[in-house]
Amino acid sequence: MSSKCFYHNSYCRDSIVKTQKVIRRKFDYNKYVSWVLENLVEADIKNNRIPINYPGVQSQAPLMGNGLYCFEHKDAAKHYANGKIVVINYETDYTVLDLDDKVTKLNIWTTLVKYGEKRISELDDHDAQVKWTLLFQLIKKAFRNNFDTEYSNLVGVFLFFWVNILKKEPVDVVTKTFSGTLIKGEPYFLIKNLKKVQRYTR
């Protein structure tokens, strides 16, 4: 069976290959978004700022949400975890949301403008409508700026909105390049659907 290779850097490489399992950190993204909604104020919109986590956890919200982070090129991954690389053999038939692609971004923006406020207004809870309206302002602002802010974890919040409020079909893989972070010009890949992982190798 043919496969697409992605490259994940991890100090636990040998264990991952042996057990064929990746132990991911526990971060309740639903709880995180709820905390963001509860604590967002107007000043946050001006400063492109949202909480980085929720009470009870020390780790920050993952950049683009939960999943398995990796690179498309092996040379990019070798710069991390002392060069310990896990090769992710992935099914070739997968869906991808490329947040660097101009046509994709235009289509997303059109959808946000056309349906964002409408879907929020259809929420059953009035308080939720008010809170999401405020957060939606920040999502749009961040999207226009290509998420090129200190609080780039807004990508994950956008993806949550895309699937849970706009009711778009979840994709298998998300990709995005972040200026000033990671390796210059090298997109980061997030595997959302781990069911399509065929195997982990060295």
Side-chain angles (χ1 to χ4, degrees):
M1 183 182 296
S2 62
S3 62
K4 161 73 176 178
C5 289
F6 294 104
Y7 302 92
H8 173 70
N9 44 283
S10 175
Y11 290 106
C12 301
R13 177 194 62 193
D14 294 342
S15 175
I16 291 171
V17 173
K18 181 179 180 179
T19 64
Q20 291 296 298
K21 292 181 181 179
V22 176
I23 299 176
R24 295 180 293 161
R25 62 175 177 159
K26 295 180 180 179
F27 190 94
D28 189 331
Y29 211 85
N30 289 333
K31 189 173 183 178
Y32 170 64
V33 172
S34 295
W35 180 253
V36 170
L37 289 168
E38 287 292 334
N39 292 274
L40 195 67
V41 295
E42 288 286 352
D44 295 328
I45 306 300
K46 180 179 179 180
N47 297 317
N48 302 311
R49 180 177 61 203
I50 59 173
I52 61 174
N53 54 21
Y54 55 88
V57 295
Q58 295 182 341
S59 58
Q60 296 186 13
L63 195 63
M64 297 189 288
N66 290 330
L68 183 57
Y69 286 83
C70 53
F71 293 98
E72 189 175 29
H73 301 115
K74 191 173 185 178
D75 285 346
K78 71 181 182 181
H79 292 280
Y80 300 88
N82 287 340
K84 291 188 175 182
I85 299 171
V86 178
V87 181
I88 305 166
N89 297 271
Y90 202 71
E91 292 182 16
T92 55
D93 183 20
Y94 65 91
T95 57
V96 61
L97 183 64
D98 185 347
L99 295 177
D100 293 325
D101 181 73
K102 291 182 179 180
V103 174
T104 298
K105 291 195 292 184
L106 178 60
N107 290 337
I108 290 173
W109 179 251
T110 300
T111 300
L112 289 175
V113 172
K114 188 173 182 179
Y115 297 108
E117 292 181 358
K118 184 176 186 297
R119 294 293 180 262
I120 291 172
S121 70
E122 294 171 349
L123 296 174
D124 294 333
D125 184 86
H126 176 71
D127 287 342
Q129 293 179 16
V130 173
K131 294 170 184 175
W132 268 113
T133 297
L134 188 61
L135 184 53
F136 184 52
Q137 294 179 43
L138 188 51
I139 290 172
K140 289 193 297 182
K141 184 179 179 182
F143 189 88
R144 286 198 305 269
N145 293 331
N146 199 31
F147 296 105
D148 189 18
T149 67
E150 180 181 354
Y151 296 87
S152 52
N153 56 328
L154 275 163
V155 177
V157 176
F158 152 72
L159 291 171
F160 184 96
F161 182 84
W162 186 252
V163 173
N164 293 278
I165 303 300
L166 290 177
K167 304 300 182 184
K168 296 298 181 180
E169 190 71 22
V171 295
D172 298 319
V173 177
V174 179
T175 181
K176 174 84 175 71
T177 302
F178 295 90
S179 63
T181 60
L182 307 173
I183 299 174
K184 187 175 181 181
E186 186 72 31
Y188 220 5
F189 285 75
L190 173 62
I191 296 177
K192 303 288 287 184
N193 183 9
L194 293 177
K195 293 181 180 179
K196 290 192 175 183
V197 174
Q198 296 172 331
R199 62 191 179 279
Y200 300 107
T201 59
R202 295 183 58 170

